[in-house]
Each structure stands twice: as C-alpha cells, then as structure tokens.
Amino acid sequence: MRRRHMFAAMGVITVLVAGMAYYWMVADGGDGSSIKIANRPVSASHVLLTQDDVGRIAYHVTWTDGRRSWITPDEYAQAIYDERSSRPWHFAFLNITSPVGIAWVALGLLGQVLFTGRMILQWLVSEKQKQSVVPTAFWWMSLAGASMLITYFIWRKDAVGVLGQATGWAIYARNLWLIHRHQPPVDGSS
C-alpha cells in the first residue's frame, strides 16, 4: 500500500519536472543552435541568442508588432538598458517588465498568504482546543497555496520553488483524500 503512494507522489513530481523541462527547453525553441533569452525588452515577444557559421553572436528578435530582426549584442544591451532605466519603480521592485507581471506577482503573493495562513489557522485551532489539532481547512489551504505557488514559480522559471512546492502538494492531496475516505457515511434518514 505504501509503495503505491510513493509511486503516485513520484509520478506527480515527474510530471511537473517534465512539464518544466518542456516549458523551458522545447517550448522556448531550444533546438541546440540557439538559446532563448528570458530577460528581454518588453517590446520583444521572443528573443533567441544565436551564433552564425563564422562564430558571430547575434540576437534574433521577434518584436511585439510582428517584426523580426537580427541585432548585435551592443544594440540588444542598449534596448534593455533603455527600457529598464525608464520603467516605473514598482516594476523594478517586483522585478517585472509589464503590467501582466503584476497579476503573476499577485497570484504568488496570494499563494504565500494562504500558505502562511494555514499555520496561523492550525495554531489558533490548537490553542482553542488546548492540544495539537490539524483541521481539514489546513490541508485545503496548503493545497491551494502550493498550487498557486507552483504556478507562480513556473512563470518565474524557478525550478527550486517548483520542486519544493510539488513534494508538499502530493502530500496535501493525499491527506485530503484520506480525510474524505474516512468520513462517516451521510445518513439520509433524518
């Protein structure tokens, strides 16, 4: 029985790792001859760092208006400098480059609030009952918070964050399943 649960948890983690690998390599155009650049100007939708047959490095940029161009490293650095030095303070503080980033940071922050709130809930319930108690809401808050944080960490391309939350996620889901499975049947004759 325990071996089956271990394999299920390993399966969840494997799917998450495979999803990250796909997202970071295949979906990004990582064919071995170029490298996708995540830290790009806002006006660029896609940037690949490439090397031509003679060994020169250039950036292949797809701009948000659909144009495509090859630019030198100096031109690319100037584009990033111009956009980053003129961005609003809150974009710099949150380490984002567009208004969409605010929504992603809000998702991550909400996930962290849920994750912290579960501990406060458990503490308050335990204090009230004068013994250590883990309420069902603790596991739901854990699962919801971990799901939001995994999504946020995938957007940030933070493998450590994804793996850290993925392990717990499988445990939270399993605990909720055990709670559900061991609830007494509802008696319909009232």
Side-chain angles (χ1 to χ4, degrees), residues 35-122:
I35 301 168
K36 180 160 194 255
I37 305 298
N39 193 6
R40 63 185 187 273
V42 175
S43 57
S45 64
H46 195 77
V47 178
L48 293 174
L49 175 63
T50 61
Q51 186 172 18
D52 66 14
D53 295 339
V54 209
R56 290 178 298 205
I57 301 290
Y59 290 91
H60 183 228
V61 181
T62 303
W63 303 98
T64 52
D65 63 7
R67 293 178 296 125
R68 293 179 181 212
S69 60
W70 293 89
I71 60 176
T72 67
D74 287 340
E75 292 168 329
Y76 185 74
Q78 187 65 50
I80 289 178
Y81 178 81
D82 291 345
E83 286 193 2
R84 296 292 164 96
S85 62
S86 64
R87 69 182 171 167
W89 71 269
H90 57 285
F91 279 31
F93 177 73
L94 297 174
N95 191 24
I96 58 174
T97 56
S98 71
V100 173
I102 294 172
W104 282 106
V105 171
L107 177 74
L109 182 60
L110 180 59
Q112 189 60 51
V113 166
L114 276 172
F115 213 68
T116 302
R118 75 194 177 117
M119 296 306 298
I120 295 169
L121 172 72
Q122 192 272 332

